[in-house]
Amino acid sequence: MTDTFPLADRTVRRVGFGAMQLPGPGVMGPPRDRDEALRVLRRAVELGVDHIDTAQFYGSDVSNELIREALHPYAADLALVSKVGARRDSAGAWLPAQKPAELRADVEANLLALGVDRLTAVNLRRMDADAPGAGDVPLEEQVAELAALRDEGKIAGVGLSTVSAADLAAAQAITEIVCVQNPFSLVDQTDADVLDACTAAGIAYVPYFPLGSAFPHLPKVVDQPAVQAVAERRGVPAARVGLAWLLARADNVLLIPGTSSVAHLEENMAVAELELTDEDLTELVAVPA
């Protein structure tokens, strides 16, 4: 199993950090403990994180501001990746921002908030198929706008989020794609075709909901008996087994587990030290996917 993988114009460690949990409840407003949020970011870098995933609509405007306060001026090897395609209203509702002009404006907002001239990558967060406005803006126009921003030097690579294999193929026909962020976990492998396409093309694949859905009624990786059995045998938390399975699934998988706690961060980062055995992986095949 490799420890690093290419991402746009650099190579990063396969375990990074996701900033979505730094703002307050519902990804809105200031963190419950601002000092702890800043400590989390600084400790992440101390532990070797060189890839932070964020978005201007986390907060809104909160996670990027925290990243800048904690880490600016940034280490030369730190990759900052953001996403565009949505905004938040004052009540916290998620609003589409899918038009090319909106994508451009939101890339500029990320650059300004983070205090950088260029982002390592920006993911186009496509709207879910049943969301209002889904499909109103052609994918080709959106990808072309991000490619233009790359050619202008404002981003190093174009990524996609919440896309199908057909979407990925259509985007690749327009420009190079450097990463894809889609839901994927031991208990939800419906996106395997996209992951396999990314693996074949050498594209970084970044799973969100890596331990199962955030919704209460849907399966969780840590609740699976096989996961618990492997965790007990290896003497590690069940969540670490679920994350390690993703790293073992394909060398192009990059993890971005997020937290607002230093203790939880340190626990997440320890996944890089856990390599599942053939026995472990065979046992985990029994988990309903």
Side-chain angles (χ1 to χ4, degrees):
M1 186 170 69
T2 61
D3 296 325
T4 61
F5 193 80
L7 179 63
D9 60 347
R10 62 189 67 206
T11 297
V12 299
R13 295 182 178 92
R14 292 182 63 203
V15 183
F17 177 76
M20 188 174 183
Q21 294 189 36
L22 292 180
V27 202
M28 278 297 290
R32 291 187 178 93
D33 186 335
R34 182 180 182 83
D35 290 341
E36 179 75 352
L38 296 172
R39 282 192 292 268
V40 165
L41 287 162
R42 292 168 182 147
R43 183 61 176 147
V45 171
E46 289 174 357
L47 292 172
V49 165
D50 59 4
H51 165 210
I52 294 179
D53 181 87
T54 185
Q56 191 66 17
F57 52 76
Y58 291 167
S60 294
D61 310 328
V62 173
S63 69
N64 283 351
E65 187 269 333
L66 290 168
I67 291 167
R68 182 170 183 169
E69 179 175 343
L71 301 176
H72 192 276
Y74 306 109
D77 65 346
L78 182 63
L80 294 174
V81 176
S82 192
K83 63 183 65 66
V84 293
R87 294 176 183 171
R88 311 292 295 280
D89 66 16
S90 59
W94 297 86
L95 307 175
Q98 298 273 299
K99 297 176 181 177
E102 293 172 322
L103 302 179
R104 175 174 286 272
D106 289 348
V107 168
E108 297 282 4
N110 277 276
L111 292 169
L112 181 63
L114 289 164
V116 294
D117 295 324
R118 184 168 74 160
L119 295 161
T120 299
V122 168
N123 291 301
L124 165 64
R125 206 306 188 177
R126 289 280 286 175
M127 301 302 293
D128 297 324
D130 58 351
D136 286 355
V137 184
L139 173 69
E140 292 77 11
E141 293 181 13
Q142 298 171 316
V143 173
E145 188 67 24
L146 289 182
L149 286 159
R150 181 201 56 211
D151 295 345
E152 293 165 21
K154 295 182 177 181
I155 65 178
V158 176
L160 303 170
S161 178
T162 318
V163 293
S164 66
D167 291 333
L168 172 59
Q172 287 178 285
I174 300 167
T175 194
E176 179 185 11
I177 301 300
V178 301
C179 54
V180 170
Q181 284 190 11
N182 275 7
F184 193 81
S185 71
L186 187 55
V187 295
D188 180 7
Q189 300 179 44
T190 54
D191 203 51
D193 59 339
V194 179
L195 169 54
D196 292 343
C198 288
T199 304
I203 296 170
Y205 183 90
V206 187
Y208 64 82
F209 296 155
L211 295 175
S213 175
F215 298 103
H217 63 288
L218 295 175
K220 305 288 188 294
V221 170
V222 297
D223 294 337
Q224 306 306 308
V227 174
Q228 294 172 350
V230 171
E232 183 176 357
R233 183 169 65 244
R234 298 299 301 272
V236 299
R240 196 178 305 173
V241 172
L243 295 176
W245 178 86
L246 285 165
L247 290 177
R249 175 61 173 76
D251 285 344
N252 60 315
V253 170
L254 301 181
L255 297 182
I256 50 168
T259 179
S260 57
S261 156
V262 170
H264 192 202
L265 168 75
E266 292 173 345
E267 182 179 297
N268 286 339
M269 292 301 297
V271 68
E273 302 165 9
L274 176 63
E275 186 161 357
L276 298 177
T277 65
D278 289 343
E279 179 185 1
D280 297 333
L281 294 170
T282 298
E283 189 164 354
L284 294 173
V285 169
V287 174

